Amino acid sequence: MPVQAESGAPVSAADTIFALASGAGRAAIAVMRLSGPGAGAVLTALAGRLPTPRMASLRRLRDPRDGDLLDEALVLWMPGPASYTGEDSAELHLHGGRAVVAAVADALVAAGARPAEPGEFTRRAFLHGRLDLTAAEGIADLIEAETAAQRRQALRQAGGALGTLYAGWAEQLTRLLARQEAFIEFEEEDLPDDLDARVAEEAAGLRAEMAAHLADGARSERLREGLCFAILGAPNVGKSSLLNALAGREAAIVSARAGTTRDVVEVVLDLGGVPVTLADTAGLRESADEIEQEGIRRALRRAEEAEMVIAVFAADAPPDPATLALLGPETLVVVNKCDLAPAPSAIADRVPLAVAARTGAGLEALRARLAEAAALRAGLTAAAGLTRPRHAPQAAGHGDARGAAGPGDARRGRDRAAAGR
Amino acid sequence: MLDERWDVVVVGGGHAGAEAAAAAARCGARTLLLTHRIETIGEMSCNPAVGGIGKGHLVREVDALDGIIARAADAAGIHFKLLNRSKGPAVRGPRAQADRALFRTAVQALLRATPGLEMRGEPVEDLILGGDGAVAGVVTAAGKRIGAGAVVITTGTFLRGEIHIGDRRTPAGRVGEAPAIGLALTLERLGLPLARLKTGTPPRLDGRTIDWAALEPQHGDDPPEPLSWMTERITNRQVACAITYTNAATHELIRANLHHSAVYGGGISGVGPRYCPSIEDKVVRFADKMRHQIFLEREGLDDDTVYPNGISTSLAEPVQAAVVASLPGLERAVILRPGYAIEYDHVDPRALRPTLEVRAAPRLFLAGQINGTTGYEEAAAQGVMAGVNAAARAGGTAAPDRVLSRGEAYIGVLVDDLVLQGVTEPYRMLTARSEHRLALRADNAGLRLTETGIAWGCVGAERAAAHRTFAATVAEAEARARQDQATPTAFAAAGAPVNHDGRRRSAFEALGLPGLPEDGVATLFPWLRDLPPRVLAELRARALYAPYVERQAAELRVLEREERLPIPDDLDFAAIPGLSLEMRQRLDRARPATLGSAGRLAGVTPAAIAALAVHLRTREPRFT
């Protein structure tokens, strides 16, 4: 059955939007909302047949392209007009891992939906007359919050390498578009004869570059939320002091008493353009304190989830066996308190990085090593990757348009194709 | 006490004024056109040409609404050229160089032939305001009070106009004509935001002193393609123009004398037209360009004046003479009149509604260069829209707005850009300004707009009949072309190889196939040969763009839901929760008429649009 809008005119499935309704980041459950005339078709593409309306059903979600199992999720199907937006809607209650959410978002795009703009669900609800006065009043705040989050995120991204890459592309596209438009608008000017051909050639080059970038897939999806490096070590080896020295502010409470950090303290550092969450964890030791035990459990979990572990030892004490037991091939070994005693030349056959958080000695070298590791793990050593599903359809649109047309945004590219026949 | 009373009074007799007066009168309004001097109605103040890329589209659209500019240009045209002929039909722009005197004569004749329209040479000094703040008429320089249901002001560069040649300044609206000071003061009193802009014109040369033999001639199209859909063929004798180029010596001269230029010497603060720069601008901004092209265009058949298109300048007169003498073929050329820059007031068009009515002064309309545009075509386009709306407004308070959308016409793009975004430099139409340019071709303007014009009452019976016959023929031919099919084998036999997939292809598809020779299509579908050339051209263009236009139409439908949601003129943006101060300011300055236009405002975020949408919904009376 063809998708029909209320006016009776056919609309594209691209008018179907989705967004994460729960907060970003790790959580037990992530709720993905879906709305639009193609919501039913998109849901069917991922979850098989449509569930009974407004009844929670357990479904296996599969990637429509290759049938890969993405997640086992609770699925809600709310056909319009009795839904929040007034359109056909669905909710997917996913397991809250970043990888799951990213893969489902990717599959939704493949099925023809697109990521929603901030406030778009609300706008649709309004356009379908689904908002009452109280709802409307509450929503302004919501929108503001949504925008603030968006802004912070945009700012973070704008500062990074991905932002630089996209800005470069945007500039190149603008230049190409300007030359192409000049070719169309100013025929009577004394322009170079091969302007058109040169633009086409450069556009083809840019297109190849974008295609390579797209093929890169979700490699650096993690760039958006950033990497996580966990600091592990015995109590009182100076993990918190190290974190504070790196962050340049008092993020963790530092005291001479062992076991001060009972939970995980996080700071976000900009390491060479990559946002990195540095997690300071409770010192690893046997403890009778229940709260501290929970802290240690969390520390270990954090270490498992982290992209990299920084194991900290103290120069004035023998290496802590509990920490040694956790060393993996990717672990960075750091010896702190080198102002109090000389650092050992090797710990578990590795050459440790010697620092003194108190005096600042060795910190620059540590920072450089971290930045290098961050760039490597975010895939920036080659090129910046795609961080959100939103980027993929847009970049794909450009590739498509230029394939047919030449430079410009998708719209103008198409114009040009026919205009400059 | 009023001395007399009219439905519509138009102030100004340039391209906007002439078009506004004619349109209002065609709509049945008793219309009076007032201007400084009746003899200069239809004067071409600058270049003796009409049309071009983007501009030619506007001319055809004005023509589709039965306006006069295209017919006048056809009557006066002495050199026609379809620009971008080698590119797709959507960006082809018809252009005509006109005999200046013939053009003026044609405009005046067309206006005189319009029933219900009177013209007088009486300058207007002031406006009459009614008790409700609405405009109720005008006061002439002689003190005569003339009542009007609506007033259209089209004073071009005359508002506090000041001409600059080198460091010499003269108050004037055009060379030798007085500026309009009183009206500028009136508009200021109404609280309209005014700002300075500038434009310029090149020196005029004596054609008898040009060495034509040394120059590369440029001929017009043969046969010439008329601008107006109603013109059968061009009857004037056609003339060639010539091309010359600036050189290193020219550029050196200009650089050495920049301090004598009004613009670079600091005499002018207004911003000039980016797409029609002075030669000083070109030399400074494109310093690495070795030469600039100059077209030498004759101003008339019986006129030796030559317009050197490309060297608009405000340099001091002796420098202008040296610059001209440095150009090949112009070594001995005599300057009849120096080039100049003119600085003038314009009104920030964001003060206008989409009908070009001043928001703060109901029944007052502004059209043309006064709104910050440049060019005859842009002026004429606004003129026709202001005239149509003024006539409607004069007829009754409940008249619906007569507005063209961005998807319908370049006129819609022009007006929407003006009233929504305002201007920072004189606004010139470009095809790139339209997001629907594949659908908005110069050659389908009639099919796009004439029916609307008929509904508005501004299209005469003759054009209406011709249009309807044509539209019916096109529809019939398209239906047949979509039905009539041929096999791949037949295509191959006709010299038009397609994939041998067994799929039959229609005549319509064949017309849209790139690289298919015309006679090949005609061999396959011989009946196409019998179609009138205009009908076949229309079919070809439709077939060529069909896949793209369909995609665009789908996008448009999605947008339309929001486009139609009106924002009341009196909406207080400050009262909307969730709008940041910045968003409030942006919205308040532009006062978008619909939710859709609010979304097009530069810098307005999707979140702000959502907040605005929610607010509009809660304002509505609720019946549920």
Side-chain angles (χ1 to χ4, degrees):
Chain A
M1 192 183 72
V3 177
Q4 295 284 315
E6 74 217 292
S7 62
V11 293
S12 65
D15 200 31
T16 297
I17 54 171
F18 68 88
L20 200 58
S22 50
R26 293 170 186 81
I29 299 211
V31 178
M32 189 75 92
R33 273 200 297 183
L34 190 61
S35 174
V42 171
L43 185 59
T44 312
L46 266 73
R49 69 198 157 75
L50 290 178
T52 314
R54 281 171 285 282
M55 293 273 287
S57 328
L58 192 63
R59 286 296 166 88
R60 290 184 171 197
L61 301 186
R62 291 183 183 280
D63 191 313
R65 290 163 295 191
D66 48 22
D68 273 6
L69 184 65
L70 301 170
D71 194 12
E72 198 157 61
L74 218 49
V75 174
L76 279 162
W77 165 239
M78 291 155 290
S83 68
Y84 171 68
T85 56
E87 300 176 323
D88 286 353
S89 301
E91 276 183 18
L92 308 173
H93 295 227
L94 310 169
H95 288 100
R98 203 161 53 189
V100 172
V101 172
V104 170
D106 196 38
L108 287 170
V109 170
R114 68 171 167 83
E117 299 290 335
E120 197 171 0
F121 278 90
T122 307
R123 180 140 49 113
R124 290 187 175 207
F126 156 70
L127 285 168
H128 290 95
R130 294 291 300 168
L131 285 182
D132 64 19
L133 191 58
T134 17
E137 278 165 357
I139 265 149
D141 300 334
L142 196 73
I143 291 165
E144 208 151 30
E146 214 172 331
T147 331
Q150 182 95 356
R151 191 167 50 231
R152 274 199 303 277
Q153 189 172 302
L155 278 178
R156 205 166 70 177
Q157 214 164 56
L162 196 60
T164 312
L165 175 73
Y166 287 172
W169 281 356
E171 201 191 303
Q172 205 177 339
L173 281 170
T174 307
R175 263 203 322 269
L176 287 171
L177 183 59
R179 276 152 58 187
Q180 189 60 43
E181 294 296 1
F183 175 74
I184 292 177
E185 307 284 348
F186 304 110
E187 194 194 46
E188 299 227 286
E189 294 297 323
D190 197 15
L191 297 170
D193 290 335
D194 60 345
L195 189 63
D196 195 31
R198 267 164 37 198
V199 167
E201 191 184 323
E202 247 182 81
L206 185 57
R207 183 188 187 214
E209 206 180 305
M210 285 181 170
H213 182 70
L214 275 173
D216 212 24
R219 180 182 61 177
S220 52
E221 179 97 23
R222 55 186 137 167
L223 228 190
R224 179 167 68 94
E225 295 194 347
L227 300 170
C228 177
F229 291 179
I231 304 179
L232 284 184
N236 212 17
V237 294
K239 298 185 297 295
S240 299
S241 310
L242 197 59
L243 178 90
N244 290 341
L246 285 170
R249 65 185 167 88
E250 297 287 303
I253 312 152
V254 187
S255 81
R257 217 187 92 205
T260 309
T261 305
R262 291 182 161 181
D263 202 341
V264 181
V265 175
E266 299 187 341
V267 292
V268 178
L269 300 182
D270 178 347
L271 291 175
V274 183
V276 175
T277 305
L278 210 54
D280 176 24
T281 59
L284 305 171
R285 63 166 182 178
E286 296 294 323
S287 172
D289 185 333
E290 214 174 295
I291 300 173
E292 198 178 333
Q293 275 178 0
E294 173 59 23
I296 292 168
R297 249 195 315 278
R298 288 190 193 186
L300 291 172
R301 198 165 65 223
R302 205 77 174 99
E304 273 170 35
E305 286 175 355
E307 271 82 10
M308 188 171 81
V309 171
I310 304 162
V312 183
F313 299 90
D316 62 344
D320 167 50
T323 313
L324 280 174
L326 288 169
L327 293 189
E330 297 279 300
T331 310
L332 177 67
V333 179
V334 174
V335 175
N336 192 16
K337 304 194 182 180
C338 290
D339 48 334
L340 301 181
S345 57
I347 290 180
D349 296 335
R350 294 159 206 240
V351 181
L353 203 70
V355 300
R358 212 167 54 86
T359 64
L363 276 181
E364 270 320 296
L366 175 58
R367 205 180 265 281
R369 279 285 289 279
L370 293 177
E372 195 183 308
L376 192 71
R377 280 165 180 78
L380 290 186
T381 41
L386 301 176
T387 58
R388 352 181 56 202
R390 178 169 308 192
H391 296 153
Q394 282 168 3
H398 282 241
D400 163 46
R402 257 193 340 287
D409 60 33
R411 185 188 73 225
R412 291 203 164 119
R414 286 202 300 276
D415 282 7
R416 201 220 140 238
R421 182 172 81 133
Chain B
M1 274 298 287
L2 295 176
D3 295 300
E4 52 188 305
R5 213 197 127 69
W6 294 78
D7 292 335
V8 173
V9 168
V10 175
V11 183
H15 307 273
E19 217 58 78
R26 286 200 304 279
C27 288
R30 283 184 58 252
T31 304
L32 176 65
L33 187 156
L34 296 173
T35 184
H36 277 63
R37 284 165 55 199
I38 200 159
E39 311 80 59
T40 57
I41 290 175
E43 181 66 61
M44 301 176 115
S45 308
C46 193
N47 63 323
V50 168
I53 299 161
K55 288 167 172 281
H57 292 73
L58 285 173
V59 169
R60 286 275 170 84
E61 290 180 355
V62 171
D63 185 60
L65 296 170
D66 219 2
I68 60 175
I69 188 169
R71 281 180 283 166
D74 285 343
I78 54 176
H79 180 113
F80 287 76
K81 194 161 188 201
L82 182 63
L83 303 183
N84 271 347
R85 192 181 280 280
S86 66
K87 298 169 195 151
V91 295
R92 287 180 200 154
R95 180 178 187 269
Q97 286 169 40
D99 178 305
R100 200 182 282 283
L102 289 180
F103 185 85
R104 204 170 46 217
T105 309
V107 168
Q108 292 176 13
L110 284 162
L111 292 180
R112 264 196 305 277
T114 307
L117 173 60
E118 189 175 321
M119 297 174 275
R120 285 187 213 153
E122 293 177 40
V124 168
E125 274 296 305
D126 204 353
L127 295 172
I128 302 172
L129 293 182
D132 53 354
V135 169
V138 300
V139 183
T140 67
K144 203 191 289 178
R145 295 170 63 82
I146 302 175
V151 173
V152 186
I153 296 184
T154 67
T155 46
T157 59
F158 278 66
L159 280 186
R160 276 196 288 232
E162 190 174 36
I163 282 180
H164 298 248
I165 303 175
D167 38 25
R168 190 154 52 84
R169 316 170 166 207
T170 326
R174 191 155 51 200
V175 86
E177 294 180 47
I181 308 283
L183 264 185
L185 295 176
T186 304
L187 295 180
E188 216 163 35
R189 213 171 56 235
L190 283 173
L192 295 186
L194 301 177
R196 292 299 257 179
L197 285 176
K198 71 133 188 165
T199 187
T201 195
R204 304 301 198 273
L205 310 176
D206 184 340
R208 293 168 302 184
T209 61
I210 292 174
D211 183 7
W212 295 101
L215 296 168
E216 182 188 334
Q218 231 211 1
H219 299 282
D221 292 341
D222 188 21
E225 183 177 314
L227 290 185
S228 172
W229 202 73
M230 298 300 283
T231 305
E232 283 288 329
R233 60 191 187 87
I234 303 301
T235 51
N236 285 330
R237 177 165 63 88
Q238 300 293 294
V239 300
C241 59
I243 301 177
T244 184
Y245 297 93
T246 60
N247 50 49
T250 321
H251 296 189
E252 194 38 55
L253 253 171
I254 292 169
R255 267 189 223 108
N257 287 285
L258 273 182
H259 56 285
H260 288 312
S261 143
V263 178
Y264 286 91
I268 289 185
S269 54
V271 184
R274 179 190 302 264
Y275 303 106
C276 185
S278 66
I279 189 67
E280 296 95 293
D281 272 337
K282 288 195 221 180
V283 168
V284 171
R285 275 169 45 196
F286 308 105
D288 54 336
K289 223 174 158 208
M290 301 309 291
R291 63 175 202 181
H292 294 281
Q293 192 169 246
I294 295 158
F295 290 92
L296 299 172
E297 301 172 350
R298 292 176 189 275
E299 295 214 340
L301 291 173
D302 306 317
D303 183 349
D304 289 314
T305 309
V306 166
Y307 179 92
N309 192 345
I311 48 168
S312 162
T313 179
S314 65
L315 287 164
E317 285 192 59
V319 184
Q320 291 191 23
V323 165
V324 167
S326 76
L327 304 173
L330 302 185
E331 294 85 352
R332 278 173 297 280
V334 170
I335 293 181
L336 297 174
R337 203 179 78 196
Y340 61 82
I342 180 161
E343 229 189 342
Y344 56 95
D345 277 355
H346 81 98
V347 174
D348 182 342
R350 286 175 297 187
L352 306 178
R353 301 185 60 242
T355 56
L356 299 179
E357 185 175 10
V358 177
R359 207 178 291 114
R363 299 173 183 281
L364 176 63
F365 293 78
L366 304 182
Q369 221 161 350
I370 188 174
N371 291 337
T373 58
T374 170
Y376 307 149
E377 304 81 0
E378 288 82 355
Q382 294 169 66
V384 82
M385 295 312 292
V388 162
N389 280 291
R393 213 62 172 88
T397 44
D401 291 348
R402 290 162 175 185
V403 175
L404 296 172
S405 73
R406 297 182 72 90
E408 279 176 296
Y410 276 93
I411 296 179
V413 174
L414 170 73
V415 173
D416 186 62
D417 280 350
L418 290 178
V419 305
L420 205 56
Q421 318 286 4
V423 296
T424 51
E425 61 190 29
Y427 181 102
R428 177 205 154 146
M429 185 46 73
L430 302 163
T431 65
R433 296 200 192 271
S434 166
E435 48 283 78
H436 312 294
R437 72 174 156 193
L438 296 186
L440 306 185
R441 307 187 321 260
D443 59 13
N444 70 356
L447 290 172
R448 288 186 278 121
L449 302 177
T450 301
E451 204 58 51
T452 305
I454 293 171
W456 288 347
C458 67
V459 172
E462 192 192 346
R463 184 186 297 264
H467 159 74
R468 284 186 168 149
T469 309
F470 178 69
T473 316
V474 169
E476 201 179 298
E478 183 178 341
R480 183 167 175 192
R482 282 183 185 274
Q483 227 158 33
D484 200 358
Q485 295 180 329
T487 60
T489 317
F491 266 83
V498 294
N499 279 345
H500 274 274
D501 50 9
R503 190 172 73 80
R504 296 168 67 84
R505 286 167 174 78
S506 71
F508 191 73
E509 278 177 274
L511 285 168
L513 286 176
L516 195 57
E518 285 194 22
D519 50 342
V521 183
T523 313
L524 280 167
F525 307 103
W527 60 273
L528 289 173
R529 282 202 191 104
D530 305 329
L531 290 177
R534 272 182 182 170
V535 175
L536 185 59
E538 175 62 29
L539 275 196
R540 268 185 200 290
R542 282 189 190 187
L544 172 65
Y545 291 126
Y548 304 101
V549 170
E550 272 157 32
R551 264 160 86 176
Q552 229 172 28
E555 288 166 19
L556 261 179
R557 276 195 294 274
V558 172
L559 291 175
E560 256 185 12
R561 285 185 299 190
E562 298 189 7
E563 185 56 56
R564 281 195 298 261
L565 194 76
I567 298 175
D569 276 347
D570 60 351
L571 182 69
D572 179 10
F573 290 110
I576 300 176
L579 277 187
S580 70
L581 185 64
E582 189 192 350
M583 292 302 130
R584 272 175 208 161
Q585 283 171 347
R586 281 182 201 273
L587 288 164
D588 210 37
R589 220 175 299 128
R591 303 247 29 134
T594 63
L595 191 62
S597 53
R600 283 195 300 278
L601 277 175
V604 170
T605 61
I609 295 303
L612 181 57
V614 167
H615 183 75
L616 289 172
R617 173 80 177 99
T618 57
R619 269 177 58 108
E620 273 178 19
R622 300 175 61 81
F623 300 107
T624 46

